[in-house]
Amino acid sequence: MKGDTMQAEGVDFGKLALLCVGLALFYLITAIYMASGSDEKQVKQWPMAKAYGPITTTQENQVVALKAHIAQREGSWSYLEVELLASPTGPLITGFSGEMHFETGYDDEGRWEDRQEWVEQRLVIPQPGSYYLRFKGGGGVVDNATAPLDLTQLDLEIRTLRGGDRGFNIGVVILLLLGVGFNGFANVRAKQLQEQNP
């Protein structure tokens, strides 16, 4: 009876809310699928002076997730620049950079530590082919560092993804907000109809 009355009054916001939540679930599953990797490589202690590769892509606009790590010691910091090249010597296609650190100290609440151990980036490689990574970096330690920092090697994680998930993640948030809004309208309308027809 209530459903018939709401239908006669206009838009059924309850059904719209359910539709939005269902679409948000679909977008979420799609985002998880797109962010999953079809190929993953872990490389330990790669010499920074040597270009890494090849990274082979088989489709246009292939998304590749890269993570790089220089082992930090307590009291150390480092920066890393990663360049994507068409061959071991170039030309440069794109690149990114980031910082890593391992800081500690004391405050009113006792000992604290702050770590940033990985530099990571997703790259969209426009054309299928073989590509290489070149590394540049530096860093240092503070006076109370527990050991010197080794800037000669790094660890890598390389994942070839099925696609980008950013658009799907934004879609999930928008649809969930719409679902909550439509559900609120449905509840307000149901309350108004109940008051009009006691």
Side-chain angles (χ1 to χ4, degrees):
M1 181 71 177
K2 189 188 293 181
D4 294 341
T5 310
M6 286 177 66
Q7 196 77 328
E9 292 291 322
V11 177
D12 188 337
F13 288 107
K15 287 183 180 175
L16 276 176
L18 285 175
L19 176 64
C20 287
V21 170
L23 286 172
L25 184 60
F26 172 75
Y27 266 54
L28 181 62
I29 292 168
T30 304
I32 291 168
Y33 173 79
M34 295 300 271
S36 62
S38 57
D39 183 28
E40 183 169 347
K41 294 177 185 166
Q42 293 188 350
V43 181
K44 299 289 186 187
Q45 299 180 343
W46 185 263
M48 276 191 49
K50 184 178 175 186
Y52 174 83
I55 298 170
T56 304
T57 61
T58 57
Q59 62 187 28
E60 291 185 0
N61 298 317
Q62 180 72 62
V63 180
V64 176
L66 299 173
K67 289 177 69 174
H69 165 74
I70 296 173
Q72 300 298 293
R73 305 285 187 259
E74 186 175 338
S76 69
W77 59 272
S78 60
Y79 69 90
L80 181 66
E81 297 175 13
V82 182
E83 298 176 336
L84 181 70
L85 309 172
S87 74
T89 57
L92 173 69
I93 295 171
T94 188
F96 65 95
S97 64
E99 296 180 357
M100 291 158 277
H101 60 268
F102 181 5
E103 300 173 8
T104 60
Y106 291 89
D107 59 20
D108 296 343
E109 298 177 4
R111 186 178 189 278
W112 58 267
E113 69 177 50
D114 182 24
R115 292 183 188 220
Q116 173 66 43
E117 299 194 52
W118 291 88
V119 172
E120 53 188 292
Q121 184 73 33
R122 289 185 181 184
L123 301 176
V124 179
I125 302 177
Q127 298 297 324
S130 295
Y131 298 90
Y132 295 81
L133 299 174
R134 182 168 58 199
F135 311 100
K136 299 175 186 174
V141 294
V142 294
D143 292 339
N144 63 346
T146 56
L149 186 62
D150 181 4
L151 294 169
T152 63
Q153 58 189 18
L154 73 164
D155 298 337
L156 293 170
E157 288 183 14
I158 303 163
R159 285 192 310 140
T160 304
L161 306 181
R162 291 185 176 93
D165 61 349
R166 182 172 297 159
F168 292 101
N169 289 334
I170 292 169
V172 169
V173 172
I174 291 170
L175 287 167
L176 284 176
L177 290 174
L178 285 172
V180 168
F182 287 143
N183 188 53
F185 280 125
N187 290 338
V188 168
R189 180 173 274 182
K191 189 173 180 181
Q192 288 173 344
L193 290 173
Q194 204 171 35
E195 290 170 357
Q196 290 173 0
N197 303 314

